[in-house]
Amino acid sequence: RRHAADLIRLIDDRRAAAEGKALDIMQAAPLEHSAATVVGASDVSTAAGAGIVVLADVMGGGEWQGDAGVRRLEQLNVVAPRALFVCAGATQRELVERGARELGLLRTRIVGSAAHALAAAATALVALELDAAPRDVALAVLGVPPAHTVIAWDDASVGGFALTRTMTELARRQIERRLQALWPIGPYALASAAALVVEALSGRSRRLLTCFVAPDNSDGTRVRTAAMPVRLGPSGVVDVRLPELSVAERVALDNAMLL
């Protein structure tokens, strides 16, 4: 619907399921105002030449993760060595990290989009609390959910006004607790977040998005993959944009990222 891709190929070991879902989507295309061609396949080699590869889940199974997820990522990297990888699942933060650490993928080539779904949930909670429109709320969510989620309250705003002035500290702490309970995010929110990331990677959006990004360990510091606001483009992660953090928020983020 966002016209971020001309061809979308659904790949699953159960070919009939992939082809059936592709057919359902194509039949609905006129109603959804989508011009993309969607086809199904079972062979990973059909991902050859893809510009963007999204890893989601197995038909009838769970999300790609663990050793099986790393093997599938390795297979995809062989057939599509120039592709950008989007790990769309709520449990795939580790897959982003292992892809960079064990498979040697450039950290600019692989991101986890589920973090943006969490940021959207935080935005919705704040909007409900203040009876405001979600589009008027601007905030950044960082860290490693659910237990180590950091909201940059000092940098957040609603309608251009600082959230620290319009929302009590008690209300902010309640939102943090509610946000932890919302993880893992549901499939529709995960899909929406992945679509926004694909749109940005296609060069069709300049929005700042929240993604799980593999750490830069070039200085010898060992830290883990965490949610960060990033700028994306056709080359992958263009840069990481850290918001202003209070001392307490900075300490919480450092603790979240420690291995």
Side-chain angles (χ1 to χ4, degrees):
R1 194 185 298 163
R2 294 179 175 276
H3 309 293
D6 296 322
L7 172 63
I8 301 171
R9 193 181 305 276
L10 305 181
I11 304 174
D12 192 272
D13 292 340
R14 294 174 60 177
R15 181 174 179 176
E19 291 179 341
K21 286 185 175 293
L23 180 59
D24 286 345
I25 294 170
M26 285 300 295
Q27 289 174 338
L31 299 175
E32 298 291 346
H33 305 289
S34 170
T37 298
V38 184
V39 297
S42 61
D43 191 342
V44 174
S45 66
T46 56
I52 301 170
V53 176
V54 180
L55 282 86
D57 53 12
V58 181
M59 179 65 186
E63 295 176 352
W64 283 107
Q65 58 180 309
D67 292 341
V70 174
R71 286 194 298 271
R72 180 49 56 99
L73 184 59
E74 185 176 26
Q75 293 169 348
L76 289 165
N77 188 46
V78 170
V79 300
R82 296 185 179 180
L84 303 175
F85 294 101
V86 179
C87 297
T91 62
Q92 292 178 340
R93 184 196 63 82
E94 183 185 4
L95 187 56
V96 174
E97 184 167 307
R98 292 184 65 180
R101 186 177 68 244
E102 298 177 21
L103 302 182
L105 294 176
L106 294 176
R107 65 190 294 261
T108 57
R109 286 185 59 204
I110 182 168
V111 297
S113 58
H116 193 68
L118 185 67
T123 298
L125 290 175
V126 170
L128 285 171
E129 177 69 23
L130 298 177
D131 193 23
R135 66 176 177 271
D136 292 332
V137 178
L139 56 79
V141 175
L142 307 92
V144 180
H148 300 287
T149 303
V150 180
I151 300 178
W153 292 115
D154 279 9
D155 195 60
S157 64
V158 56
F161 296 93
L163 265 178
T164 51
R165 297 176 59 184
T166 56
M167 181 182 290
T168 66
E169 183 175 354
L170 176 60
R172 298 198 299 271
R173 298 297 169 255
Q174 288 175 337
I175 285 176
E176 289 175 349
R177 288 192 292 271
R178 291 171 65 187
L179 190 62
Q180 286 188 19
L182 289 176
W183 188 263
I185 299 293
Y188 191 86
L190 292 174
S192 297
L196 289 172
V197 169
V198 169
E199 184 182 37
L201 292 174
S202 301
R204 297 173 182 265
S205 170
R206 296 177 61 84
R207 287 184 58 179
L208 199 65
L209 302 175
T210 302
C211 292
F212 288 124
V213 186
D216 180 5
N217 292 323
S218 58
D219 61 356
T221 304
R222 294 279 292 171
V223 293
R224 59 180 175 169
T225 295
M228 297 283 180
V230 295
R231 185 78 65 189
L232 303 173
S235 62
V237 178
V238 177
D239 60 4
V240 177
R241 302 284 185 88
L242 275 178
E244 290 291 331
L245 299 174
S246 68
V247 174
E249 291 165 353
R250 168 59 70 178
V251 171
L253 179 60
D254 289 344
N255 289 338
M257 294 181 66
L258 286 176
L259 282 172

